[in-house]
Amino acid sequence: MDHGTANAARTLAARTRRAPDTEAVHAGRDDLARLGLHAPPIDLSTTYPSYDSRGEAARIDAFAADGAAPEGPPVYGRLGNPTVARFETALARLEGTESAVAFASGMAALSAVLLVRNGAGLRHVVAVRPLYGCSDHLLTAGLLGSEVTWVDPAGVTDALRPGTGLVLVESPANPTLAEIDLRAVAHAAGSVPLLADNTFATPVLQRPAEQGARLVLHSATKYLGGHGDVMAGVVACDEEFARRLRQVRFATGGVLHPLAGYLLLRGLSTLPVRVRAASATAAELARRLAADPRVAKVHYPRIGGAMIALEVHGDPHEVIAAVRLITPAVSLGSVDTLIQHPASISHRIVDPADRRGAGVGDRLLRLSVGLEDVEDLWHDLDGALGSGGGGSGAGRAGAAPARRAGRG
Ligand SMILES: *Cc1c(COP(=O)(O)O)cnc(C)c1O
């Protein structure tokens, strides 16, 4: 059935080397023509009929023992879903890993990784700031029993100790876009698994597994879904770690809904073109912002991407209040452009001193560039920056209220 064919598809895909753009539209779909389908089916079943309960017992025993995705028909929605499995297959192909395991959100995915390590008695995490605010909070507050040591990338090796189960980094980091040499950190981590949060770069710009990361995490809510309408998380990794993650997912229940799995598979098919188009626009906006006297500093990653961080001379809250085309909202990676103030929203939950120490200043704004026309975006940013305290905005201050009035 569908689950067996997903496994067959995985084998078929492993035999053929295809370029990432091709994988994006074909991976996870190799069996469709054989099934007489073009669009992937959505299987919403929570349970599956079986007249062979001895067989089911054997399959559940096997899963409990090794965590491999059960062969044959699915058993129960929390154990695995064929539509979600298509997304997992496709993401693993794009990241260049053996496997991937999907979860209900990025935070559910990170929690599952921590639970796997904690369950093995390896509760100590070495992490580099900044991380996404809630990832920082999950570690700092010790909600799952982890204990964290915060270090610079150069301090990773010295912070390792016998109980260290994980080294955790983001590159480019949320929200400062600070970049880390993943190869160097993977080397420093030695036998301790390196988890690289690849949410910002996506596999289009960077494949951390090729640089030595054992675990590649995504908030699939962002670029992988790409349209601001799916919450999801996923960990791409080797099959051995994937088995532990499936066992934790089964026991703790942070599963991805099949409809979300369908939307993510669909999102992946346009991921390369979306990321390239938005990155080109972001690079141009970053160039203009860097030359603008109202802007104190622009952070734009060397590897490119569609995210920009900027520090303004004026009041960042006024910029947020003045955008008209751009949506003032947290999150990122959608087809439309979003702006937010990390110190107020995405990183609010981090202690202010820790936040500022990580480079997340009170005048920092984070821009997620979408697929709009670059001139329309620039017009909006230019208006929102207003007179901006930088002295070049004469005349612009008058333009903003007119546009406000036009909006009603
Ligand atoms: C949003 C985000 C997360 C958390 O993902 P959710 O899907 O919101 O749970 C983790 N890491 C990074 C870098 C993020 O931007």
Side-chain angles (χ1 to χ4, degrees):
M1 240 204 67
D2 218 9
H3 219 70
T5 51
N7 287 338
R10 223 170 275 144
T11 319
L12 174 75
R15 273 194 267 118
T16 358
R17 272 264 158 258
R18 300 184 292 199
D21 284 32
T22 309
E23 293 290 3
V25 291
H26 285 284
R29 300 166 187 250
D30 304 72
D31 59 328
L32 290 185
R34 207 164 47 246
L35 293 171
L37 297 173
H38 185 227
I42 306 177
D43 182 347
L44 294 171
S45 305
T46 55
T47 190
Y48 297 83
S50 169
Y51 293 97
D52 176 18
S53 38
R54 287 186 198 89
E56 297 296 89
R59 284 170 355 109
I60 290 169
D61 285 353
F63 179 81
D66 74 1
E71 294 288 336
V75 181
Y76 183 61
R78 191 152 34 71
L79 204 51
N81 172 275
T83 309
V84 171
R86 291 179 182 281
F87 163 65
E88 293 172 330
T89 300
L91 195 269
R93 294 294 297 169
L94 286 172
E95 285 290 1
T97 57
E98 265 182 300
S99 304
V101 185
F103 294 88
S105 70
M107 292 316 301
L110 179 57
S111 296
V113 171
L114 294 174
L115 288 172
V116 165
R117 299 316 276 165
N118 291 355
L122 302 168
R123 298 177 167 273
H124 181 236
V125 178
V126 174
V128 177
R129 279 187 167 127
L131 297 179
Y132 167 63
C134 213
S135 303
D136 186 314
H137 172 64
L138 182 61
L139 293 171
T140 305
L143 292 176
L144 297 175
S146 302
E147 186 198 333
V148 61
T149 302
W150 298 103
V151 295
D152 290 331
V156 167
T157 304
D158 285 348
L160 301 177
R161 58 193 206 211
T164 307
L166 195 68
V167 174
L168 205 167
V169 302
E170 285 179 15
S171 184
N174 187 349
T176 61
L177 305 178
E179 287 174 278
I180 284 177
D181 182 343
L182 293 176
R183 212 176 284 279
V185 175
H187 182 74
S191 61
V192 177
L194 170 65
L195 184 155
D197 186 326
N198 204 30
T199 300
F200 274 35
T202 82
V204 177
L205 299 176
Q206 169 178 282
R207 309 215 304 174
E210 288 172 357
Q211 301 181 52
R214 183 165 178 202
L215 304 158
V216 181
L217 183 134
H218 283 273
S219 167
T221 311
K222 318 292 171 50
Y223 288 100
L224 305 189
H227 297 72
D229 54 7
V230 196
M231 288 214 87
V234 63
V235 180
C237 57
D238 53 89
E239 174 61 16
E240 189 189 331
F241 207 103
R243 290 177 177 199
R244 303 289 88 76
L245 287 170
R246 286 189 207 104
Q247 287 173 326
V248 163
R249 183 177 63 178
F250 175 59
T252 60
V255 292
L256 185 66
H257 192 274
L259 183 57
Y262 174 88
L263 289 169
L264 288 167
L265 185 66
R266 176 157 138 162
L268 287 186
S269 60
T270 55
L271 180 70
V273 287
R274 280 188 286 110
V275 168
R276 283 196 293 265
S279 297
T281 304
E284 173 59 19
L285 292 176
R287 192 188 64 74
R288 294 187 193 184
L289 288 166
D292 196 294
R294 296 166 295 181
V295 176
K297 198 160 184 199
V298 172
H299 307 262
Y300 186 68
R302 276 170 298 147
I303 64 163
M307 300 299 299
I308 301 172
L310 62 147
E311 292 165 50
V312 292
H313 286 298
D315 184 346
H317 300 287
E318 293 300 319
V319 179
I320 295 283
V323 288
R324 290 296 170 264
L325 174 68
I326 297 167
T327 303
V330 74
S331 198
L332 58 115
S334 187
V335 287
D336 59 317
T337 301
L338 308 180
I339 193 167
Q340 66 111 13
H341 182 236
S344 295
I345 311 183
S346 64
H347 292 68
R348 186 68 186 177
I349 200 157
V350 180
D351 173 80
D354 292 339
R355 192 167 65 220
R356 291 180 192 122
V360 188
D362 292 344
R363 286 172 185 267
L364 187 81
L365 291 166
R366 193 191 73 190
L367 192 64
S368 167
V369 178
L371 300 177
E372 300 95 332
D373 180 83
V374 66
E375 299 303 335
D376 288 336
L377 288 174
W378 178 249
H379 181 74
D380 198 34
L381 277 176
D382 183 37
L385 286 167
S387 55
S392 80
R396 290 195 183 95
R403 292 167 64 220
R404 240 173 242 138
R407 191 191 188 216

